[in-house]
Amino acid sequence: MSQAESYRRFSDTQAHPWVAVDVVIYTLDQSRLECLLVQVKEGSFAGKWAFPGGLVGAQESLDQAAERELYERTGVKNAYLEQLYTFGKPERDPATRAVSVSYLALVPYQEVKLNPASKYAAIGWFPANRLPRLAYDHDQVGRLALKRMRSKLQYANIVYSLLPSEFTLGELQEVYETILHRSLDRRNFRKKILALGLLKRLRKKRRGTHRPAALYAFIKRRPMIMEML
Amino acid sequence: MSQAESYRRFSDTQAHPWVAVDVVIYTLDQSRLECLLVQVKEGSFAGKWAFPGGLVGAQESLDQAAERELYERTGVKNAYLEQLYTFGKPERDPATRAVSVSYLALVPYQEVKLNPASKYAAIGWFPANRLPRLAYDHDQVGRLALKRMRSKLQYANIVYSLLPSEFTLGELQEVYETILHRSLDRRNFRKKILALGLLKRLRKKRRGTHRPAALYAFIKRRPMIMEML
DNA sequence: CCAAAAGTGTTGGTCTTACACCCATGC
DNA sequence: GCATGGGTGTAAGACCAACACTTTTGG
């Protein structure tokens, strides 16, 4: 595909697009699934909201560019981050030919410190299933991201990246119920989740308004493929 | 991410890579899973084998570029073709910064007419699980493609794209056995596949050396997500 | 003592897997 | 008539979904 020779030979008729990454960042705030948007400042989409993103640096891999963008907007490192899809229709950005590699990220709400950056007019969380009309082809990106996240939560352990380090089984179940939007049987849920052996029960308890609940933590906080539900 | 303004502002420090597609094309020849490779002609990888690919045209979408590459090498149109992953480490091609969007294609062996093209030294089928060392980062691409195809065959109906329009249940089962490399119980396989309602039984029979087998065809030849096995 | 969430097992139904014999044809 | 793949049903076990009551705390 790619030796320098053929680049030279074809470069007149072939495109040489800009390459950007866009990151769809989800979090849970009080069991509401939210998604981070930035407001575009300039160009024909000025005023519209979009997923944060930016050009890939000359010495950067795509993953690094996505990590950097995630870090710059939220201050979060080591969250779950996965390449989603690459969008490249010539007309997706009317201003220029741009290919966008989209990423999906899951972050724990508590750890986020939003950072607007001068290139955007604003930044903020929006309910994930009620996003406004977005700039570029980002409506499509958002639909795909939501679909992927919903399905992936069921066969990978990536919830760990949405939760703080300690949580109750009730909270964990609430996460699944929110994202899959259906309710789950408590006894079956606990049986299944505990049988996976992913959690350790801590000594502590969460004391709330009522009976205290045992706190749990993930034994390993890295992505693994497995049947969750 | 991508208004023209920020392109101008950042273009000194940001990359402006070449964008290429690479297509991993699988087929079945007498129940051997094979993969199409081309031999690189020039550059530091000259003589090595790689997946066919090329730069994305100025007016082309990524999907169109992949379709075109598939058609140019094999003469096949309307085969199953899916975006796989985008590779973009700065060092993946030492000659230049190139981002490669990889695709996965499944083609019926009977319909292929291989077309070498002058940009390659050679073209040919190789056993999919015994590929030689490939150029660029294509070893990684190949591993990912094989994994994706194996898993996707189990939850989508994409086998239709590996088979001719008429086939026996025995042939269909052989395809699954080859790709998943494990043997399946014939009675259970037939029960499950027929229960899906994807196949129509034709009047005809295949007459071979022994008892004739009923021929089947897919009712719909387009990708659908569903439990296959 | 009341409200609210935590914690805990059993059962019936469904789905999956394992398994063996007869059939139709070509040679 | 024999070798070869085609065609078919059943039974046991695994897995999953449905279901209700008691416990612990705060107010």
Side-chain angles (χ1 to χ4, degrees):
Chain A
M1 58 114 250
S2 60
Q3 68 268 33
E5 178 56 29
S6 58
Y7 289 153
R8 255 172 266 125
R9 198 184 314 136
F10 287 115
S11 58
D12 296 339
T13 57
Q14 303 283 1
H16 201 169
W18 294 98
V19 176
V21 294
D22 288 306
V23 190
V24 183
I25 306 171
Y26 290 110
T27 198
L28 281 164
D29 174 18
Q30 305 169 53
S31 70
R32 297 162 63 88
L33 183 65
E34 309 212 300
C35 180
L36 192 63
L37 296 181
V38 293
Q39 195 174 28
V40 177
K41 210 171 187 174
E42 298 165 28
S44 61
F45 286 111
K48 291 264 186 195
W49 294 86
F51 299 114
L55 294 176
V56 175
Q59 304 307 323
E60 255 180 346
S61 71
L62 302 172
D63 289 359
Q64 284 164 355
E67 266 171 50
R68 177 176 53 74
E69 190 66 30
L70 174 62
Y71 179 69
E72 288 175 357
R73 295 289 79 70
T74 64
V76 172
K77 282 190 167 168
N78 302 319
Y80 178 71
L81 183 64
E82 176 197 337
Q83 193 187 106
L84 188 61
Y85 196 79
T86 300
F87 295 86
K89 290 224 175 83
E91 67 278 11
R92 61 181 290 281
D93 182 348
T96 180
R97 177 78 202 255
V99 168
S100 158
V101 184
S102 59
Y103 278 78
L104 168 64
L106 306 179
V107 301
Y109 188 74
Q110 300 79 0
E111 292 185 20
V112 175
K113 300 245 182 312
L114 286 189
N115 174 15
S118 63
K119 63 174 168 171
Y120 301 122
I123 188 170
W125 294 111
F126 287 74
N129 40 17
R130 299 258 172 143
L131 295 184
R133 283 294 193 77
L134 302 178
Y136 316 109
D137 53 1
H138 284 195
D139 291 321
Q140 199 188 344
V141 179
R143 277 195 300 276
L144 183 63
L146 202 51
K147 210 171 108 186
R148 171 84 67 96
M149 187 201 39
R150 290 221 167 96
S151 91
K152 193 135 189 177
L153 272 175
Q154 304 189 47
Y155 67 88
N157 68 336
I158 59 178
V159 224
Y160 72 81
S161 197
L162 283 167
L163 287 165
S165 61
E166 305 183 344
F167 50 87
T168 67
L169 290 184
E171 289 161 355
L172 181 59
Q173 182 175 344
E174 216 180 349
V175 172
Y176 275 99
E177 289 180 335
T178 299
I179 294 173
L180 305 177
H181 44 59
R182 61 193 170 98
S183 59
L184 303 169
D185 179 87
R186 193 153 32 120
R187 285 165 292 190
N188 293 339
F189 179 81
R190 296 165 78 96
K191 245 181 298 173
K192 231 179 270 181
I193 288 289
L194 292 174
L196 292 172
L198 299 176
L199 301 179
K200 52 177 176 240
R201 184 174 184 150
L202 306 176
R203 292 293 189 79
K204 313 182 219 169
K205 304 257 172 176
R206 162 141 320 154
R207 313 185 66 85
T209 37
H210 297 294
R211 173 172 179 175
L215 285 171
Y216 287 80
F218 282 96
I219 295 170
K220 295 186 177 167
R221 294 189 140 246
R222 60 186 165 81
M224 293 183 286
I225 301 295
M226 53 176 52
E227 283 309 309
M228 296 296 293
L229 301 188
Chain B
M1 58 113 247
S2 58
Q3 68 268 36
E5 179 55 28
S6 59
Y7 289 153
R8 257 174 264 123
R9 198 185 314 137
F10 289 114
S11 59
D12 295 340
T13 58
Q14 304 283 4
H16 200 168
W18 294 99
V19 176
V21 294
D22 288 305
V23 190
V24 183
I25 306 169
Y26 291 111
T27 198
L28 280 164
D29 175 18
Q30 305 171 53
S31 70
R32 299 161 65 90
L33 182 66
E34 309 212 302
C35 179
L36 192 64
L37 296 180
V38 294
Q39 196 173 28
V40 177
K41 211 169 185 174
E42 297 164 30
S44 61
F45 287 111
K48 291 263 186 195
W49 294 87
F51 298 115
L55 294 176
V56 175
Q59 304 307 323
E60 253 180 348
S61 71
L62 301 172
D63 288 0
Q64 284 164 354
E67 266 170 52
R68 177 176 52 75
E69 190 64 31
L70 174 62
Y71 180 68
E72 288 176 356
R73 293 289 79 71
T74 64
V76 172
K77 282 192 168 167
N78 303 320
Y80 178 71
L81 182 64
E82 175 197 339
Q83 193 189 104
L84 187 62
Y85 197 79
T86 300
F87 295 87
K89 291 222 176 82
E91 67 278 13
R92 61 180 291 281
D93 183 346
T96 182
R97 178 77 201 256
V99 168
S100 156
V101 184
S102 59
Y103 279 78
L104 167 64
L106 305 180
V107 300
Y109 188 75
Q110 300 79 357
E111 291 186 19
V112 175
K113 300 245 183 313
L114 287 188
N115 172 15
S118 63
K119 62 173 168 172
Y120 300 122
I123 188 169
W125 293 110
F126 287 72
N129 41 16
R130 300 258 171 145
L131 295 184
R133 284 294 194 74
L134 303 179
Y136 318 109
D137 53 2
H138 284 194
D139 291 321
Q140 199 187 344
V141 178
R143 276 194 302 275
L144 184 64
L146 202 50
K147 211 171 107 187
R148 171 84 68 95
M149 186 200 39
R150 289 220 169 97
S151 91
K152 192 135 190 178
L153 272 176
Q154 304 188 48
Y155 67 88
N157 68 338
I158 59 178
V159 222
Y160 73 80
S161 197
L162 283 167
L163 285 165
S165 61
E166 304 183 344
F167 51 87
T168 67
L169 290 183
E171 288 159 356
L172 181 59
Q173 181 174 347
E174 216 179 350
V175 172
Y176 275 97
E177 289 181 333
T178 300
I179 294 173
L180 306 176
H181 44 62
R182 60 191 171 100
S183 58
L184 303 169
D185 179 88
R186 197 170 58 222
R187 282 166 293 186
N188 293 339
F189 179 81
R190 297 165 77 96
K191 246 182 294 174
K192 230 178 270 178
I193 287 288
L194 292 174
L196 292 173
L198 299 176
L199 301 180
K200 54 177 177 242
R201 182 172 185 151
L202 306 176
R203 294 293 190 78
K204 314 183 217 168
K205 305 255 171 177
R206 162 139 323 153
R207 313 185 66 84
T209 37
H210 297 295
R211 174 174 177 174
L215 285 171
Y216 287 80
F218 283 95
I219 296 170
K220 294 184 179 169
R221 294 191 139 242
R222 61 187 162 80
M224 294 183 285
I225 301 294
M226 53 174 53
E227 285 307 309
M228 297 295 292
L229 301 189

